[in-house]
Structure formats: C-alpha cells, structure tokens
Amino acid sequence: MRTKALAPALVLLLAPLATACGGDASGASGSRTVTVTVGYQSKTINTVTAGTLLRSLGYFEQELAARGKQDGVTYKVDWQDYATGAPITAQMTAGKIDIGSMGDFPLLINAARGKELKQPTHLVSVTGYNLRGGLNTVVTAPDSKLGSLADLRGKKVSTSVGSAADGTLVRALQRAGIDPESGIQKLNQQPSVGASALQAGSADALSQFVAWPGQLAYEGRAKALYDGAELNLPTFHGVTVREKFAKERPGVLDDFLKAQRKATDHLRAEPVAAAESVAKETGLPAEVVYLYNGANGIATFDPALRPELIDALKQDVPVLQAGKLVGDVDVDSFVDPEPLRRAAAGAPEYPKAAAPQSELWLKGQSRTQSFDSPRELLKAARGADVRAAYVPDAVTGTLWFADKAVWVAEGPELRAFVTQAGATAYVDQHRESGARILSFAEAGALAS
C-alpha cells in the first residue's frame, strides 16, 4: 500500500527526465527535451562520418544546439553502438532508433522489414563506397593451403548472413561455379566470432566487411584469398531514417546530414588525424583505419546518392531474395534524396574516386607521401622509419599493406596484388614478358 501511495509522486518527479526517440518531455519550467537516437557501427569504419567520427567531433550536437536556441528545445543525442546492421534495423522497426547507418545489403533488409512492420524507413545518404566492391574480402589463415576461391568447395566459411560481406561471398562463389548454399558449409557468425573461429581452425575462411579483413591481415592472423573488387560491382554503406521521424522532425534530419557532411569534409581534409581519432575511439590500429579511410583508401567518402550506387542496390535485391531474406523491395521508394538535397543546398559536389596511388606513412608524421608507382614507394621506404606502406592492386585498385601484398616483377615494373590468386592469374597472362612472383623483400631489393 505504501508503494502505491508513492507512485503518483514518483511519476511526477521523473516525468521531466523521461525521453523517447524523437519525442519530448515537459519540465516545470515549460522547457522541452528531445532525444534523437542514432544507431551506428563503430567497428564498421566506412560509416564513421555518420557514426564514430561524427560522434567524436560533436558536429551533430552543435547543429542541434543551434536549433534548440531557436525553438526553445534541449536536444540530446543517444548514440547506440552495434556490431552489424541487423540489430539497428530491429530497433528502428520497433520505433527505438531514429537514424541508423549500415551496409547495402542490410539497408535492403531495413527497407523490407520497415515495410512489413509498418515502420517504413528511407535511405537518405551514403557514407563510404567503393565502385568495384573492394570493401569486402574473403580471408584465410596465414598458413592455409587454400589458394583460390575454387578451393572453398566443401569448406567451412564464416560470414554474417544478410551482410554485404555475405553478398560478396554468394556472388563470388556463383562466379566460381560453386553453389553458395550446398557447395560450402556456411557458418552464420558475428564478425568477431568468425575471426576467432578462423584462428581456432573451426572455420577455413572468413568473408567479412571493413575493417575485419584488413585488421586480421595487419595483425598477421589472416591473408587475403579473394578481393571483393574482382566482382566489379559497387558496394557502400549509407544512412537510413524512420519515415515517421523524418516527417515529424525534418529539421533535425537536415541537421544530421549537415553534420555528416562536415565530418566528411574533415575526413577528406585531415585523413591521418581522422584515422587516429577513429582508432582511439574503437581500439582499432590507426594503420588499419587508414587503409580504408585514408586519402587513397579503399573507401571513398561522399554522402551523395550516386546513380551507380542505387543501381547496384537494385542488383542486390535478387541475391537477398534467393536467400529468402527479403521479398519484394521497391528501391526507388526506399531512396529519398530530398533531405540531402535540402541539407547540401549550395554546397559543391565531391569529386568521384580517383585512381589510387601508393602511399607511405612514416612514424611521427601527420601527413603521408603519395607515389605514382609501387616501385617508387618501395625505394622511398628503404631505410626509413615506416609506420605503414600501402599499394593498390595492379588490376582491381584495392589498396593493401605493402608487406602483406603478393608482388610481381615484370621487366622494370613492380606490381602488387591483394591475393595470391590475383598475382598468379596476372603472371599466367604475361609469361612472355617474364612476369614472375617474388617476395616483399625481393621486391624491395629490386626497387633500390
């Protein structure tokens, strides 16, 4: 009875503190507090301009503070970190997350689930993209005897079903003539679980998205078996918003997209500083972050909803349908370019991704050096105090660590490849010119 008597008083006391996604609570002074809930993936580092980096820079909060002064509202941001896009979608369709960032395949599932559960969502911007698909990679253990994708037949392969990395695996296996359902033993695992399974030997290969492949390779715990850029199909991550929230608070959504663009400007202008910041926030090595998010990184950061990316999204639908992960998805109605158009009004467009260059990061330096060829990079690195060296794959352009790449000498030229299979294929096609595979040390010696 005593508890029941106190309940009304407790309700009145706590009411000003209560908040909800996109909602508000009134205090004794008549002020209002609105909490905006953002779901992001700190370890999926090509979403950083809508997540980790944006959060650390405080740009969204700054935009909201300015808005709050105008409308008499106190805005707060609840940042919620997840390992993959699936739980973000679950929270969005439950009305508990307003804005989320995830990969292209999860975005389609987000669209499908939102429609099914009558909590429609919309794609409003892109974070990072790679026009060839280089953001996803299949890796094996460092001492694995597997030499190509064809060797995965009958093997145990870990991936996160419904993720962009799973989509890459499915397509790559199909091109290799392997049924993605019956031709391998697919293990549906979170990225960290799959990485542990690979190390323990309970998985023969791991197909994952950024930054897992690069991190495992950098730490000497894996080597690349298949470069997703071989598919030559764009892959990207983007920002999705609940339709109800977007209609109720269009100005707040505009603020988010303005803040995302500011974070993109910062990353493009100060890539080393941005990499160091993301590394500090996530615990990832800065050298790995830079592999993807650097000046010549695998990911290109641009919020624009480029037509080639939307076309790629439409090509992803049948892959998810074949896996019975979605039914019909109306991509055109899912994509809403209007909020970004408002937020970026008058701002110049970002240039498209340029051809990648070799890049050298020396210890103690806040800037990197770029080179027109891998040979020039190796020559500059000889005897230097190197923090990281990056080279683009000679065919796909995917940036990779120079000391983890497979090297090929062809006359005076030195070429780098992400995978052994890629290097072997190149040599087989250029034997008349004396192309041959050599070690990193041998390539360095030739470059001097």
Side-chain angles (χ1 to χ4, degrees):
M1 294 296 293
R2 183 177 178 84
T3 302
K4 290 182 179 179
L6 288 174
L10 285 171
V11 170
L12 290 173
L13 179 64
L14 296 174
L17 302 177
T19 58
C21 294
D24 60 75
S26 299
S29 64
S31 64
R32 293 185 300 149
T33 298
V34 173
T35 298
V36 183
T37 305
V38 180
Y40 73 110
Q41 302 171 64
S42 64
K43 296 294 180 70
T44 306
I45 56 172
N46 65 315
T47 66
V48 294
T49 52
T52 306
L53 183 63
L54 177 59
R55 180 180 183 178
S56 67
L57 293 169
Y59 289 158
F60 187 29
E61 287 83 353
Q62 291 171 19
E63 293 286 340
L64 290 177
R67 179 170 297 278
K69 289 180 180 179
Q70 294 177 356
D71 55 24
V73 173
T74 299
Y75 290 98
K76 295 183 179 179
V77 184
D78 179 14
W79 296 91
Q80 296 186 5
D81 188 9
Y82 296 89
T84 63
I88 297 177
T89 288
Q91 293 293 88
M92 290 185 76
T93 54
K96 296 180 179 180
I97 284 181
D98 302 311
I99 301 170
S101 57
M102 59 192 72
D104 40 17
F105 277 75
L107 280 167
L108 290 170
I109 295 175
N110 182 273
R113 297 289 185 269
K115 185 176 181 180
E116 291 169 8
L117 299 173
K118 302 189 185 310
Q119 282 276 9
T121 58
H122 293 285
L123 173 64
V124 291
S125 71
V126 170
T127 55
Y129 70 88
N130 183 284
L131 291 178
R132 290 190 61 108
L135 296 172
N136 307 306
T137 312
V138 181
V139 298
T140 59
D143 58 353
S144 173
K145 302 302 181 185
L146 302 177
S148 70
L149 206 69
D151 295 334
L152 290 182
R153 193 182 303 273
K155 302 298 183 181
K156 295 179 180 178
V157 183
S158 174
T159 191
S160 301
V161 172
S163 71
D166 182 34
T168 291
L169 177 64
V170 168
R171 282 189 166 123
L173 289 172
Q174 289 173 337
R175 289 194 182 183
I178 300 174
D179 188 305
E181 298 302 321
S182 62
I184 64 168
Q185 300 178 57
K186 185 183 287 188
L187 308 177
N188 182 16
Q189 298 174 324
Q190 291 286 322
S192 59
V193 176
S196 297
L198 183 68
Q199 192 167 18
S202 54
D204 299 296
L206 171 72
S207 180
Q208 273 303 343
F209 46 78
V210 295
W212 288 96
Q215 179 184 358
L216 294 172
Y218 176 77
E219 295 172 346
R221 294 193 287 154
K223 64 179 178 181
L225 179 73
Y226 182 83
D227 173 5
E230 292 182 41
L231 289 174
N232 199 22
L233 291 171
T235 186
F236 69 97
H237 284 65
V239 175
T240 177
V241 63
R242 288 192 302 116
E243 182 181 278
K244 183 178 179 181
F245 175 83
K247 287 181 177 179
E248 291 177 347
R249 302 199 179 276
V252 173
L253 177 58
D254 291 356
D255 289 341
F256 183 88
L257 295 174
K258 289 176 183 177
Q260 183 195 343
R261 188 176 176 92
K262 287 183 179 179
T264 303
D265 290 340
H266 175 80
L267 184 148
R268 294 177 74 117
E270 300 290 341
V272 171
E276 295 278 22
S277 173
V278 172
K280 180 180 178 181
E281 296 292 328
T282 63
L284 290 166
E287 297 84 351
V288 173
V289 176
Y290 197 84
L291 172 71
Y292 294 98
N293 296 4
N296 292 284
I298 300 174
T300 297
F301 286 84
D302 180 356
L305 295 162
R306 294 187 178 277
E308 56 266 49
L309 301 181
I310 305 308
D311 288 342
L313 203 60
K314 293 177 180 179
Q315 294 182 54
D316 293 341
V317 174
V319 179
L320 287 171
Q321 288 175 327
K324 296 181 173 54
L325 294 171
V326 299
D328 291 330
V329 180
D330 186 346
V331 173
D332 289 326
S333 66
F334 174 54
V335 178
D336 183 3
E338 185 55 33
L340 185 61
R341 194 175 291 130
R342 293 194 308 262
E349 291 186 1
Y350 293 108
K352 286 188 176 182
Q357 292 182 299
S358 298
E359 202 165 353
L360 185 63
W361 187 0
L362 298 178
K363 292 181 180 178
Q365 299 295 312
S366 59
R367 289 283 187 274
T368 60
Q369 303 173 44
S370 295
F371 301 89
D372 291 332
S373 72
R375 173 182 281 276
E376 291 178 10
L377 175 136
L378 291 177
K379 186 175 181 180
R382 191 170 183 84
D385 197 3
V386 177
R387 182 168 180 180
Y390 309 93
V391 287
D393 185 283
V395 173
T396 67
T398 300
L399 209 67
W400 205 240
F401 297 109
D403 61 331
K404 307 298 181 183
V406 182
W407 288 84
V408 169
E410 184 180 13
E413 299 296 327
L414 290 171
R415 309 185 193 281
F417 295 83
V418 173
T419 68
Q420 181 73 35
T424 300
Y426 185 89
V427 168
D428 289 344
Q429 295 170 11
H430 297 82
R431 289 197 180 280
E432 71 283 354
S433 60
R436 59 189 176 88
I437 294 176
L438 66 166
S439 68
F440 173 60
E442 290 171 330
L446 284 177
S448 62

